[in-house]
Amino acid sequence: MTIYFAPMEGITDGILRQTHNRIFGGIDVYCLPFHKLTQSLSLLTREIRDISPEENEGLNVLPQALTRDPEQLSAWLYYVSECGYSYADLNIGCPSPTVTKRGRGSGLLLDPGYLRSFLDCVFANTLPVSLSVKTRIGYESAGEWPGLLSLLADYPFAHVTVHARTTREQYTGPVHPEAFELALQKGLPHPVYNGDLRTVEDVHALMERCPAAEAVMIGRGLLADPALARRLRGGAAASEEELKTWYTSLYRGWNDRFDATIALGRIKKLMEWPVGDDIKRKRLLRRADNIESCISAVIGY
Ligand SMILES: Cc1cc2nc3c(=O)[nH]c(=O)nc-3n(C[C@H](O)[C@H](O)[C@H](O)COP(=O)(O)O)c2cc1C
């Protein structure tokens, strides 16, 4: 089974990817958070750094773009190729209203006619890298999925990642594994399941339900348990020592790159996932004002 580490903007930067790979591993592909493409095609400094080969040394990464403009996408795909990568991903799943109101991300799902003409233009020429796509199963309702599925099946995507929720459902509430089953039945090329795989048992349940599934993408599950991919491969759970090294290394990396305030903010945001709904640990984490107190809030108190 192929395991993708989901892209999470503001979280899964190069520091987190390298640190994760060094301590826990188990990931086949680390997905880069999206580059928001613009008319001028100029990328932000942080986006250029994030895709640079130095930032990703030793990792398999999948860069991602957010756009509804075929020319922007084409220029960016050449840039990705010049950076030395062979694969890239198109985001048509982002549910953020600031993105969708401009018809980007999952905003594209609202207008299948435009989506088709966009993809016709994209695939009209030979692409410099293989293109995959990450989608939701509809904008308003899962009833849109069969139509969307046949649309996507008309294009030679390297793979299709399916976050088994609609745009309206954002990131919470039940997922729709039956939508992924349908993708498998309809022969969508290389579908990758995404959505709420938090534990080893969740992944096993998915594989039982969909034995033909080849690949999964995991996001928040890996933030809560960074050893999840290793455990899925039969390896050990995270030890206390590893978790301490994980958090300390991330804090140091972010402190060196940004400053202590940003590093602490980022580490606390990340730690919300392992802490979950545990009220006592949540309170300790909220009060923590240095990395040591953050770690004791999460690991031991
Ligand atoms: C903070 C945050 C940032 C995200 N950024 C991106 C992104 O840049 N590109 C993308 O395709 N998905 C992004 N996602 C969606 C995740 O990649 C993933 O599809 C989603 O979290 C569901 O998977 P999970 O339940 O395993 O977390 C983001 C999600 C979160 C919570």
PDB file of all heavy atoms in Angstrom, residues 6-9 11 32-34 64 89 91 134 136 163 165 171 194-198 217-221 273, ligand 1:
ATOM      1  N   ALA A   6      -0.596  13.810   3.737  1.00  0.00           N
ATOM      2  CA  ALA A   6      -1.444  14.843   3.129  1.00  0.00           C
ATOM      3  C   ALA A   6      -0.795  16.225   3.217  1.00  0.00           C
ATOM      4  O   ALA A   6      -0.106  16.528   4.196  1.00  0.00           O
ATOM      5  CB  ALA A   6      -2.799  14.869   3.836  1.00  0.00           C
ATOM      6  N   PRO A   7      -1.063  17.066   2.217  1.00  0.00           N
ATOM      7  CA  PRO A   7      -0.563  18.440   2.312  1.00  0.00           C
ATOM      8  C   PRO A   7      -1.414  19.221   3.307  1.00  0.00           C
ATOM      9  O   PRO A   7      -2.639  19.125   3.273  1.00  0.00           O
ATOM     10  CB  PRO A   7      -0.786  18.976   0.888  1.00  0.00           C
ATOM     11  CG  PRO A   7      -1.936  18.182   0.343  1.00  0.00           C
ATOM     12  CD  PRO A   7      -1.877  16.831   1.010  1.00  0.00           C
ATOM     13  N   MET A   8      -0.776  19.954   4.197  1.00  0.00           N
ATOM     14  CA  MET A   8      -1.534  20.799   5.121  1.00  0.00           C
ATOM     15  C   MET A   8      -0.829  22.145   5.237  1.00  0.00           C
ATOM     16  O   MET A   8       0.223  22.256   5.871  1.00  0.00           O
ATOM     17  CB  MET A   8      -1.712  20.105   6.476  1.00  0.00           C
ATOM     18  CG  MET A   8      -2.751  18.997   6.400  1.00  0.00           C
ATOM     19  SD  MET A   8      -2.981  18.093   7.910  1.00  0.00           S
ATOM     20  CE  MET A   8      -1.588  17.001   7.822  1.00  0.00           C
ATOM     21  N   GLU A   9      -1.419  23.125   4.596  1.00  0.00           N
ATOM     22  CA  GLU A   9      -0.829  24.449   4.514  1.00  0.00           C
ATOM     23  C   GLU A   9      -0.580  25.015   5.915  1.00  0.00           C
ATOM     24  O   GLU A   9      -1.439  24.910   6.785  1.00  0.00           O
ATOM     25  CB  GLU A   9      -1.801  25.372   3.757  1.00  0.00           C
ATOM     26  CG  GLU A   9      -1.117  26.404   2.925  1.00  0.00           C
ATOM     27  CD  GLU A   9      -1.786  27.748   3.038  1.00  0.00           C
ATOM     28  OE1 GLU A   9      -2.977  27.800   3.361  1.00  0.00           O
ATOM     29  OE2 GLU A   9      -1.075  28.738   2.813  1.00  0.00           O
ATOM     30  N   ILE A  11       1.418  23.824   8.060  1.00  0.00           N
ATOM     31  CA  ILE A  11       1.850  22.767   8.988  1.00  0.00           C
ATOM     32  C   ILE A  11       2.938  21.895   8.354  1.00  0.00           C
ATOM     33  O   ILE A  11       4.039  21.769   8.888  1.00  0.00           O
ATOM     34  CB  ILE A  11       0.653  21.866   9.416  1.00  0.00           C
ATOM     35  CG1 ILE A  11      -0.458  22.720  10.038  1.00  0.00           C
ATOM     36  CG2 ILE A  11       1.120  20.784  10.398  1.00  0.00           C
ATOM     37  CD1 ILE A  11      -1.717  21.958  10.405  1.00  0.00           C
ATOM     38  N   LEU A  32       3.223  18.431  -0.967  1.00  0.00           N
ATOM     39  CA  LEU A  32       3.488  19.824  -0.612  1.00  0.00           C
ATOM     40  C   LEU A  32       2.177  20.607  -0.600  1.00  0.00           C
ATOM     41  O   LEU A  32       1.343  20.417  -1.486  1.00  0.00           O
ATOM     42  CB  LEU A  32       4.426  20.492  -1.631  1.00  0.00           C
ATOM     43  CG  LEU A  32       5.766  19.822  -1.945  1.00  0.00           C
ATOM     44  CD1 LEU A  32       6.643  20.771  -2.755  1.00  0.00           C
ATOM     45  CD2 LEU A  32       6.492  19.394  -0.697  1.00  0.00           C
ATOM     46  N   PRO A  33       2.007  21.489   0.391  1.00  0.00           N
ATOM     47  CA  PRO A  33       0.822  22.351   0.382  1.00  0.00           C
ATOM     48  C   PRO A  33       0.778  23.165  -0.925  1.00  0.00           C
ATOM     49  O   PRO A  33       1.808  23.398  -1.543  1.00  0.00           O
ATOM     50  CB  PRO A  33       1.040  23.275   1.581  1.00  0.00           C
ATOM     51  CG  PRO A  33       1.971  22.522   2.473  1.00  0.00           C
ATOM     52  CD  PRO A  33       2.848  21.718   1.566  1.00  0.00           C
ATOM     53  N   PHE A  34      -0.427  23.605  -1.309  1.00  0.00           N
ATOM     54  CA  PHE A  34      -0.574  24.219  -2.632  1.00  0.00           C
ATOM     55  C   PHE A  34       0.205  25.512  -2.811  1.00  0.00           C
ATOM     56  O   PHE A  34       0.420  26.267  -1.876  1.00  0.00           O
ATOM     57  CB  PHE A  34      -2.052  24.440  -2.966  1.00  0.00           C
ATOM     58  CG  PHE A  34      -2.820  25.308  -2.000  1.00  0.00           C
ATOM     59  CD1 PHE A  34      -2.593  26.666  -1.907  1.00  0.00           C
ATOM     60  CD2 PHE A  34      -3.808  24.748  -1.200  1.00  0.00           C
ATOM     61  CE1 PHE A  34      -3.325  27.464  -1.032  1.00  0.00           C
ATOM     62  CE2 PHE A  34      -4.549  25.527  -0.314  1.00  0.00           C
ATOM     63  CZ  PHE A  34      -4.291  26.887  -0.231  1.00  0.00           C
ATOM     64  N   GLN A  64       1.972  20.822  -5.425  1.00  0.00           N
ATOM     65  CA  GLN A  64       0.546  20.995  -5.745  1.00  0.00           C
ATOM     66  C   GLN A  64       0.240  22.440  -6.131  1.00  0.00           C
ATOM     67  O   GLN A  64       0.815  23.371  -5.561  1.00  0.00           O
ATOM     68  CB  GLN A  64      -0.309  20.626  -4.533  1.00  0.00           C
ATOM     69  CG  GLN A  64      -1.795  20.568  -4.846  1.00  0.00           C
ATOM     70  CD  GLN A  64      -2.646  20.390  -3.600  1.00  0.00           C
ATOM     71  OE1 GLN A  64      -2.630  21.232  -2.706  1.00  0.00           O
ATOM     72  NE2 GLN A  64      -3.383  19.286  -3.530  1.00  0.00           N
ATOM     73  N   ASP A  89       0.478  17.879  -8.722  1.00  0.00           N
ATOM     74  CA  ASP A  89      -0.917  17.641  -8.370  1.00  0.00           C
ATOM     75  C   ASP A  89      -1.730  18.923  -8.538  1.00  0.00           C
ATOM     76  O   ASP A  89      -1.243  20.024  -8.269  1.00  0.00           O
ATOM     77  CB  ASP A  89      -0.973  17.188  -6.897  1.00  0.00           C
ATOM     78  CG  ASP A  89      -2.305  16.598  -6.506  1.00  0.00           C
ATOM     79  OD1 ASP A  89      -2.671  15.553  -7.069  1.00  0.00           O
ATOM     80  OD2 ASP A  89      -2.976  17.178  -5.636  1.00  0.00           O
ATOM     81  N   ASN A  91      -5.105  20.911  -7.265  1.00  0.00           N
ATOM     82  CA  ASN A  91      -6.060  20.923  -6.159  1.00  0.00           C
ATOM     83  C   ASN A  91      -7.432  21.376  -6.656  1.00  0.00           C
ATOM     84  O   ASN A  91      -7.600  22.531  -7.050  1.00  0.00           O
ATOM     85  CB  ASN A  91      -5.533  21.878  -5.064  1.00  0.00           C
ATOM     86  CG  ASN A  91      -6.445  21.966  -3.861  1.00  0.00           C
ATOM     87  OD1 ASN A  91      -7.669  21.973  -4.001  1.00  0.00           O
ATOM     88  ND2 ASN A  91      -5.874  22.056  -2.680  1.00  0.00           N
ATOM     89  N   LYS A 134      -6.491  16.205  -6.785  1.00  0.00           N
ATOM     90  CA  LYS A 134      -7.061  15.912  -5.456  1.00  0.00           C
ATOM     91  C   LYS A 134      -8.415  16.591  -5.382  1.00  0.00           C
ATOM     92  O   LYS A 134      -8.512  17.803  -5.551  1.00  0.00           O
ATOM     93  CB  LYS A 134      -6.129  16.437  -4.360  1.00  0.00           C
ATOM     94  CG  LYS A 134      -6.604  16.155  -2.949  1.00  0.00           C
ATOM     95  CD  LYS A 134      -5.443  16.293  -1.977  1.00  0.00           C
ATOM     96  CE  LYS A 134      -5.850  16.082  -0.537  1.00  0.00           C
ATOM     97  NZ  LYS A 134      -6.353  17.289   0.097  1.00  0.00           N
ATOM     98  N   ARG A 136     -12.800  16.609  -3.954  1.00  0.00           N
ATOM     99  CA  ARG A 136     -13.881  16.225  -3.039  1.00  0.00           C
ATOM    100  C   ARG A 136     -14.916  15.458  -3.866  1.00  0.00           C
ATOM    101  O   ARG A 136     -14.827  15.425  -5.084  1.00  0.00           O
ATOM    102  CB  ARG A 136     -14.521  17.482  -2.460  1.00  0.00           C
ATOM    103  CG  ARG A 136     -13.547  18.321  -1.629  1.00  0.00           C
ATOM    104  CD  ARG A 136     -13.964  18.315  -0.224  1.00  0.00           C
ATOM    105  NE  ARG A 136     -12.946  18.901   0.641  1.00  0.00           N
ATOM    106  CZ  ARG A 136     -13.090  19.005   1.946  1.00  0.00           C
ATOM    107  NH1 ARG A 136     -14.208  18.582   2.527  1.00  0.00           N
ATOM    108  NH2 ARG A 136     -12.146  19.507   2.707  1.00  0.00           N
ATOM    109  N   HIS A 163     -10.895  12.995  -1.311  1.00  0.00           N
ATOM    110  CA  HIS A 163     -11.281  13.292   0.072  1.00  0.00           C
ATOM    111  C   HIS A 163     -12.786  13.031   0.108  1.00  0.00           C
ATOM    112  O   HIS A 163     -13.565  13.769  -0.510  1.00  0.00           O
ATOM    113  CB  HIS A 163     -10.941  14.746   0.444  1.00  0.00           C
ATOM    114  CG  HIS A 163     -11.300  15.076   1.861  1.00  0.00           C
ATOM    115  ND1 HIS A 163     -11.032  16.285   2.447  1.00  0.00           N
ATOM    116  CD2 HIS A 163     -11.899  14.327   2.839  1.00  0.00           C
ATOM    117  CE1 HIS A 163     -11.458  16.293   3.701  1.00  0.00           C
ATOM    118  NE2 HIS A 163     -11.997  15.108   3.960  1.00  0.00           N
ATOM    119  N   ARG A 165     -15.543  13.575   1.198  1.00  0.00           N
ATOM    120  CA  ARG A 165     -16.514  14.514   1.760  1.00  0.00           C
ATOM    121  C   ARG A 165     -16.852  15.537   0.674  1.00  0.00           C
ATOM    122  O   ARG A 165     -16.098  15.725  -0.265  1.00  0.00           O
ATOM    123  CB  ARG A 165     -15.911  15.304   2.934  1.00  0.00           C
ATOM    124  CG  ARG A 165     -15.794  14.576   4.229  1.00  0.00           C
ATOM    125  CD  ARG A 165     -15.538  15.587   5.359  1.00  0.00           C
ATOM    126  NE  ARG A 165     -15.551  14.907   6.627  1.00  0.00           N
ATOM    127  CZ  ARG A 165     -14.462  14.374   7.193  1.00  0.00           C
ATOM    128  NH1 ARG A 165     -13.281  14.466   6.615  1.00  0.00           N
ATOM    129  NH2 ARG A 165     -14.555  13.749   8.350  1.00  0.00           N
ATOM    130  N   TYR A 171     -14.352  19.673   6.955  1.00  0.00           N
ATOM    131  CA  TYR A 171     -13.408  18.658   7.464  1.00  0.00           C
ATOM    132  C   TYR A 171     -14.016  17.757   8.539  1.00  0.00           C
ATOM    133  O   TYR A 171     -13.320  16.952   9.137  1.00  0.00           O
ATOM    134  CB  TYR A 171     -12.170  19.341   8.053  1.00  0.00           C
ATOM    135  CG  TYR A 171     -11.338  20.031   6.997  1.00  0.00           C
ATOM    136  CD1 TYR A 171     -11.424  21.398   6.807  1.00  0.00           C
ATOM    137  CD2 TYR A 171     -10.484  19.296   6.173  1.00  0.00           C
ATOM    138  CE1 TYR A 171     -10.685  22.032   5.827  1.00  0.00           C
ATOM    139  CE2 TYR A 171      -9.744  19.915   5.193  1.00  0.00           C
ATOM    140  CZ  TYR A 171      -9.844  21.286   5.022  1.00  0.00           C
ATOM    141  OH  TYR A 171      -9.114  21.898   4.040  1.00  0.00           O
ATOM    142  N   ASN A 194      -8.741   9.348   0.896  1.00  0.00           N
ATOM    143  CA  ASN A 194      -8.378  10.327   1.920  1.00  0.00           C
ATOM    144  C   ASN A 194      -9.611  10.705   2.747  1.00  0.00           C
ATOM    145  O   ASN A 194     -10.697  10.863   2.201  1.00  0.00           O
ATOM    146  CB  ASN A 194      -7.793  11.584   1.244  1.00  0.00           C
ATOM    147  CG  ASN A 194      -7.546  12.727   2.216  1.00  0.00           C
ATOM    148  OD1 ASN A 194      -8.083  13.824   2.056  1.00  0.00           O
ATOM    149  ND2 ASN A 194      -6.745  12.485   3.232  1.00  0.00           N
ATOM    150  N   GLY A 195      -9.398  10.845   4.069  1.00  0.00           N
ATOM    151  CA  GLY A 195     -10.446  11.324   4.952  1.00  0.00           C
ATOM    152  C   GLY A 195     -10.583  10.506   6.206  1.00  0.00           C
ATOM    153  O   GLY A 195     -11.017   9.359   6.177  1.00  0.00           O
ATOM    154  N   ASP A 196     -10.163  11.120   7.352  1.00  0.00           N
ATOM    155  CA  ASP A 196     -10.405  10.544   8.680  1.00  0.00           C
ATOM    156  C   ASP A 196      -9.774   9.189   8.933  1.00  0.00           C
ATOM    157  O   ASP A 196     -10.338   8.383   9.682  1.00  0.00           O
ATOM    158  CB  ASP A 196     -11.912  10.458   8.943  1.00  0.00           C
ATOM    159  CG  ASP A 196     -12.464  11.796   9.418  1.00  0.00           C
ATOM    160  OD1 ASP A 196     -11.762  12.803   9.239  1.00  0.00           O
ATOM    161  OD2 ASP A 196     -13.571  11.821   9.983  1.00  0.00           O
ATOM    162  N   LEU A 197      -8.624   8.921   8.345  1.00  0.00           N
ATOM    163  CA  LEU A 197      -7.886   7.708   8.738  1.00  0.00           C
ATOM    164  C   LEU A 197      -7.008   8.118   9.916  1.00  0.00           C
ATOM    165  O   LEU A 197      -5.972   8.750   9.737  1.00  0.00           O
ATOM    166  CB  LEU A 197      -7.047   7.177   7.567  1.00  0.00           C
ATOM    167  CG  LEU A 197      -7.845   6.728   6.340  1.00  0.00           C
ATOM    168  CD1 LEU A 197      -6.914   6.312   5.204  1.00  0.00           C
ATOM    169  CD2 LEU A 197      -8.794   5.571   6.689  1.00  0.00           C
ATOM    170  N   ARG A 198      -7.477   7.817  11.126  1.00  0.00           N
ATOM    171  CA  ARG A 198      -6.784   8.308  12.331  1.00  0.00           C
ATOM    172  C   ARG A 198      -5.975   7.218  13.026  1.00  0.00           C
ATOM    173  O   ARG A 198      -5.096   7.504  13.820  1.00  0.00           O
ATOM    174  CB  ARG A 198      -7.801   8.876  13.336  1.00  0.00           C
ATOM    175  CG  ARG A 198      -8.707   9.982  12.781  1.00  0.00           C
ATOM    176  CD  ARG A 198      -7.903  11.219  12.453  1.00  0.00           C
ATOM    177  NE  ARG A 198      -8.729  12.233  11.826  1.00  0.00           N
ATOM    178  CZ  ARG A 198      -9.277  13.256  12.460  1.00  0.00           C
ATOM    179  NH1 ARG A 198      -9.071  13.434  13.735  1.00  0.00           N
ATOM    180  NH2 ARG A 198     -10.016  14.128  11.808  1.00  0.00           N
ATOM    181  N   MET A 217      -4.141   8.458   1.694  1.00  0.00           N
ATOM    182  CA  MET A 217      -3.505   9.711   2.083  1.00  0.00           C
ATOM    183  C   MET A 217      -3.968  10.034   3.499  1.00  0.00           C
ATOM    184  O   MET A 217      -5.158   9.974   3.792  1.00  0.00           O
ATOM    185  CB  MET A 217      -3.911  10.833   1.134  1.00  0.00           C
ATOM    186  CG  MET A 217      -3.322  12.171   1.537  1.00  0.00           C
ATOM    187  SD  MET A 217      -3.808  13.515   0.437  1.00  0.00           S
ATOM    188  CE  MET A 217      -2.791  13.209  -0.975  1.00  0.00           C
ATOM    189  N   ILE A 218      -2.989  10.348   4.360  1.00  0.00           N
ATOM    190  CA  ILE A 218      -3.332  10.599   5.765  1.00  0.00           C
ATOM    191  C   ILE A 218      -2.799  11.969   6.165  1.00  0.00           C
ATOM    192  O   ILE A 218      -1.634  12.298   5.904  1.00  0.00           O
ATOM    193  CB  ILE A 218      -2.731   9.513   6.689  1.00  0.00           C
ATOM    194  CG1 ILE A 218      -3.103   8.116   6.186  1.00  0.00           C
ATOM    195  CG2 ILE A 218      -3.193   9.712   8.129  1.00  0.00           C
ATOM    196  CD1 ILE A 218      -2.521   6.973   7.015  1.00  0.00           C
ATOM    197  N   GLY A 219      -3.655  12.756   6.812  1.00  0.00           N
ATOM    198  CA  GLY A 219      -3.251  14.072   7.267  1.00  0.00           C
ATOM    199  C   GLY A 219      -3.258  14.155   8.779  1.00  0.00           C
ATOM    200  O   GLY A 219      -2.263  13.877   9.466  1.00  0.00           O
ATOM    201  N   ARG A 220      -4.444  14.484   9.327  1.00  0.00           N
ATOM    202  CA  ARG A 220      -4.528  14.736  10.773  1.00  0.00           C
ATOM    203  C   ARG A 220      -4.157  13.521  11.613  1.00  0.00           C
ATOM    204  O   ARG A 220      -3.640  13.670  12.719  1.00  0.00           O
ATOM    205  CB  ARG A 220      -5.931  15.254  11.102  1.00  0.00           C
ATOM    206  CG  ARG A 220      -6.175  16.631  10.485  1.00  0.00           C
ATOM    207  CD  ARG A 220      -7.625  17.016  10.485  1.00  0.00           C
ATOM    208  NE  ARG A 220      -8.418  16.166   9.594  1.00  0.00           N
ATOM    209  CZ  ARG A 220      -9.725  16.275   9.415  1.00  0.00           C
ATOM    210  NH1 ARG A 220     -10.401  17.191  10.083  1.00  0.00           N
ATOM    211  NH2 ARG A 220     -10.372  15.475   8.585  1.00  0.00           N
ATOM    212  N   GLY A 221      -4.382  12.322  11.063  1.00  0.00           N
ATOM    213  CA  GLY A 221      -3.990  11.102  11.787  1.00  0.00           C
ATOM    214  C   GLY A 221      -2.494  11.077  12.049  1.00  0.00           C
ATOM    215  O   GLY A 221      -2.036  10.599  13.103  1.00  0.00           O
ATOM    216  N   TRP A 273      -3.541  18.208  17.998  1.00  0.00           N
ATOM    217  CA  TRP A 273      -4.003  16.926  17.450  1.00  0.00           C
ATOM    218  C   TRP A 273      -3.746  15.769  18.408  1.00  0.00           C
ATOM    219  O   TRP A 273      -4.686  15.026  18.706  1.00  0.00           O
ATOM    220  CB  TRP A 273      -3.397  16.691  16.063  1.00  0.00           C
ATOM    221  CG  TRP A 273      -3.943  17.718  15.118  1.00  0.00           C
ATOM    222  CD1 TRP A 273      -3.299  18.812  14.638  1.00  0.00           C
ATOM    223  CD2 TRP A 273      -5.287  17.818  14.632  1.00  0.00           C
ATOM    224  NE1 TRP A 273      -4.141  19.575  13.857  1.00  0.00           N
ATOM    225  CE2 TRP A 273      -5.366  18.980  13.840  1.00  0.00           C
ATOM    226  CE3 TRP A 273      -6.429  17.036  14.782  1.00  0.00           C
ATOM    227  CZ2 TRP A 273      -6.540  19.375  13.201  1.00  0.00           C
ATOM    228  CZ3 TRP A 273      -7.593  17.428  14.143  1.00  0.00           C
ATOM    229  CH2 TRP A 273      -7.643  18.575  13.362  1.00  0.00           C
TER     230      TRP A 273
HETATM  231  C1  LIG B   1      -4.725  23.016   8.183  1.00  0.00           C
HETATM  232  C2  LIG B   1      -4.994  22.265   6.917  1.00  0.00           C
HETATM  233  C3  LIG B   1      -4.368  22.659   5.733  1.00  0.00           C
HETATM  234  C4  LIG B   1      -4.609  21.957   4.535  1.00  0.00           C
HETATM  235  N1  LIG B   1      -3.946  22.326   3.375  1.00  0.00           N
HETATM  236  C5  LIG B   1      -4.149  21.612   2.220  1.00  0.00           C
HETATM  237  C6  LIG B   1      -3.426  21.903   1.017  1.00  0.00           C
HETATM  238  O1  LIG B   1      -2.569  22.788   0.951  1.00  0.00           O
HETATM  239  N2  LIG B   1      -3.708  21.146  -0.089  1.00  0.00           N
HETATM  240  C7  LIG B   1      -4.644  20.127  -0.060  1.00  0.00           C
HETATM  241  O2  LIG B   1      -4.847  19.458  -1.071  1.00  0.00           O
HETATM  242  N3  LIG B   1      -5.310  19.817   1.073  1.00  0.00           N
HETATM  243  C8  LIG B   1      -5.069  20.521   2.201  1.00  0.00           C
HETATM  244  N4  LIG B   1      -5.728  20.159   3.350  1.00  0.00           N
HETATM  245  C9  LIG B   1      -6.606  18.960   3.345  1.00  0.00           C
HETATM  246  C10 LIG B   1      -5.799  17.716   3.746  1.00  0.00           C
HETATM  247  O3  LIG B   1      -4.769  17.466   2.812  1.00  0.00           O
HETATM  248  C11 LIG B   1      -6.698  16.468   3.833  1.00  0.00           C
HETATM  249  O4  LIG B   1      -7.341  16.303   2.597  1.00  0.00           O
HETATM  250  C12 LIG B   1      -7.750  16.605   4.925  1.00  0.00           C
HETATM  251  O5  LIG B   1      -7.175  17.031   6.145  1.00  0.00           O
HETATM  252  C13 LIG B   1      -8.490  15.274   5.137  1.00  0.00           C
HETATM  253  O6  LIG B   1      -7.564  14.255   5.464  1.00  0.00           O
HETATM  254  P1  LIG B   1      -7.348  13.757   6.996  1.00  0.00           P
HETATM  255  O7  LIG B   1      -8.708  13.440   7.548  1.00  0.00           O
HETATM  256  O8  LIG B   1      -6.443  12.579   6.884  1.00  0.00           O
HETATM  257  O9  LIG B   1      -6.736  14.917   7.741  1.00  0.00           O
HETATM  258  C14 LIG B   1      -5.508  20.860   4.535  1.00  0.00           C
HETATM  259  C15 LIG B   1      -6.118  20.460   5.742  1.00  0.00           C
HETATM  260  C16 LIG B   1      -5.880  21.143   6.916  1.00  0.00           C
HETATM  261  C17 LIG B   1      -6.563  20.668   8.180  1.00  0.00           C
END
